[in-house]
Amino acid sequence: MAKKLWGGRFKKKIDKDFEQFSKSIQYDFKLARVDVFHSIIHTLALSGSGLLNKKETKTIIDALNEIIKDIDSGSFKPNLSSEDIHTDIHNRLQKKIGRLSAKVHTLRSRNDQIAFNEKFYCLDEAINIKNLVGDVLNSFFVLMKEYDNQPFVGYTHTQRAQVILFSDYLCAFGHMLARDSNRIKRFYDSVIPYVGAGALAGTSLHSKEYFKAIDVFFSYNHTGSDKIKSVESSIDNVSDRDFLIEFLGIISIIQMHLSRLAEDIILYSTQEFDYLDLPEEFCTGSSLMPHKKNPDFLELVRGYTGRIYGNQVSLMTMMKGLPMAYNRDMQLDKEPLFSSVEIIKSELKIMAKFIKGIKLNKEIIAEALLDERLYATELAEFLVFKGIAFKDAHDIVGKLIRYAEDNKTQVKQMPDKLLKKFCVKLNSSDVARVMHAAHAITSKKSIKRKVPKPDA
Ligand code: ARG
């Protein structure tokens, strides 16, 4: 077993089963890089406070930088017998510099480290997720351009409603994603990784030494390092996981958007709708039915919603009722966090490629657009502009549609004489013009048809 960061007061050895049960190294190794960042800042603060001399400081910082190099090159393998990533990094340092490593943890607590690490991890991943959301947004733009001016069937209650542009439909998802992107940006701006909390009560190192250390670390140019501060409330810092709940909340909203998108595409690609043809490289076949082309990617996206919402609920429930300040329960925040981050990144990455591969079945859509019920609202509006009150116009068109349905005809087919029985303001040439996709589209003047550019 790897050496622990504690143990002096214990006479008995830790129970093996409990030891295994309490470990987090199998997942928190993901925080290795940011854990070393914390050690660098802390070492610099100890040095500034006179607790490490120049030579010791250089030896420690050089060794820590070597560990970062190992992590970046992919040669870093966590020692799974360590209790957690903090212990693992400490033991590694000990192998490199011997006894001197014992000074690095001076006036430091893992409670402080883990809060710092998780915030730094979130900052990095917020940027990654924001970029991936941007890629999906760009794919929507590609599709919007490809099908510029293509009329499409608009639904409410999954019932045919009114004619829209396919790009209007895509634009709605563009707005969702732009909001997601801005939500991540606001989150990024709000997260502050603190140093100097100790276990909960702060440390005897002066905050100005932490700030000096942060400044030096900032010159290393690691993303997010401009946000680090010396702690303001040490107790809150070690006990706060609001930022994780917020991050998982934002991921849940993105997931909800992807799930709704997935559901729509699944529906529109069924033989019953057949509006869309899906990119084959993201579909799978059936082991039994030779003809099948199944939308498995979209189904998995929809299915993962349970996991992602569950991760958020699990975190909120774990935090509920925790006494101040750090409690070991909080170790369990990592699996839901990593799980949601990994899932959403994979989904977004694949979705960006998937969207670009969607093809419209224009003939099928054209046929659907012949359904004149789609233009009932436009006809009522036409009558309004002829001076008829909307409620009356609604009634007239309702009766017309009902008549056409009962008599197996179309309103567009009805002669002037018949039309005028419903309303004297109607004639067949106006009806033919108004009950048409081109009119339905051009008569809509209230829409700006614009996707907001997400904040940088
Ligand atoms: N592995 C712990 C966590 O993830 C690190 C902090 C442990 N602190 C302690 N006092 N046992 O939360």
Side-chain angles (χ1 to χ4, degrees), residues 345-386:
K345 284 200 301 184
S346 305
E347 288 177 349
L348 290 165
K349 186 175 170 201
I350 303 170
M351 192 60 91
K353 296 189 268 184
F354 187 95
I355 296 292
K356 280 196 262 186
I358 291 175
K359 294 275 167 245
L360 285 196
N361 290 331
K362 289 189 180 179
E363 297 84 54
I364 307 269
I365 293 167
E367 218 177 287
L369 291 174
L370 292 177
D371 180 351
E372 60 177 14
R373 287 169 299 189
L374 284 167
Y375 309 97
T377 312
E378 276 67 26
L379 192 59
E381 205 172 314
F382 165 81
L383 291 178
V384 166
F385 280 101
K386 292 274 173 207

Side-chain angles (χ1 to χ4, degrees), residues 24 28 83-84 86 110-111 114 241 326 328 330-331 333-334:
S24 54
D28 70 9
E83 181 181 332
D84 54 25
H86 322 297
R110 288 179 290 168
N111 303 355
I114 194 63
R241 294 295 182 269
Y326 177 83
R328 191 65 178 268
M330 292 159 81
Q331 175 168 299
D333 59 6
K334 276 162 257 348

Side-chain angles (χ1 to χ4, degrees), residues 258-367:
L258 294 184
S259 182
R260 291 184 65 183
L261 172 66
E263 170 58 22
D264 260 14
I265 307 176
I266 291 170
L267 191 67
Y268 291 159
S269 66
T270 57
Q271 276 83 57
E272 284 66 25
F273 279 80
D274 207 17
Y275 294 161
L276 309 179
D277 205 14
L278 306 184
E280 212 169 276
E281 59 280 30
F282 301 99
C283 296
T284 63
S286 154
S287 57
L288 178 68
M289 299 166 281
H291 67 285
K292 293 280 275 192
K293 177 181 162 193
N294 295 327
D296 293 38
F297 166 60
L298 301 169
E299 290 170 314
L300 286 168
V301 167
R302 196 177 52 185
Y304 266 126
T305 311
R307 186 85 57 88
I308 287 193
Y309 287 5
N311 286 338
Q312 190 186 0
V313 172
S314 135
L315 194 58
M316 291 199 294
T317 313
M318 183 275 286
M319 287 302 290
K320 171 197 163 293
L322 283 192
M324 282 287 183
Y326 177 83
N327 299 273
R328 191 65 178 268
D329 317 42
M330 292 159 81
Q331 175 168 299
L332 305 180
D333 59 6
K334 276 162 257 348
E335 282 167 300
L337 170 67
F338 297 153
S339 154
S340 288
V341 166
E342 291 311 322
I343 295 168
I344 207 77
K345 284 200 301 184
S346 305
E347 288 177 349
L348 290 165
K349 186 175 170 201
I350 303 170
M351 192 60 91
K353 296 189 268 184
F354 187 95
I355 296 292
K356 280 196 262 186
I358 291 175
K359 294 275 167 245
L360 285 196
N361 290 331
K362 289 189 180 179
E363 297 84 54
I364 307 269
I365 293 167
E367 218 177 287

Side-chain angles (χ1 to χ4, degrees), residues 20-32:
Q20 200 54 34
F21 179 72
S22 63
K23 270 183 185 176
S24 54
I25 186 67
Q26 64 281 18
Y27 46 82
D28 70 9
F29 70 88
K30 276 179 186 286
L31 301 172

Side-chain angles (χ1 to χ4, degrees), residues 153-156 158-163 275 367-380 394 397-406 409-412 431 434-437 440:
V153 186
Y155 291 84
T156 63
T158 331
Q159 302 286 326
R160 286 182 179 173
Q162 283 183 280
V163 174
Y275 294 161
E367 218 177 287
L369 291 174
L370 292 177
D371 180 351
E372 60 177 14
R373 287 169 299 189
L374 284 167
Y375 309 97
T377 312
E378 276 67 26
L379 192 59
H394 189 283
V397 177
K399 288 195 168 103
L400 263 172
I401 296 283
R402 184 60 201 250
Y403 178 91
E405 270 177 19
D406 288 349
T409 182
Q410 286 207 308
V411 180
K412 276 203 246 180
V431 167
V434 169
M435 298 188 94
H436 191 275

Side-chain angles (χ1 to χ4, degrees), residues 20 50 154 188 239 245 289 374 401 423 455:
Q20 200 54 34
Y188 183 92
S239 73
I245 293 170
M289 299 166 281
L374 284 167
I401 296 283
C423 175
D455 299 336

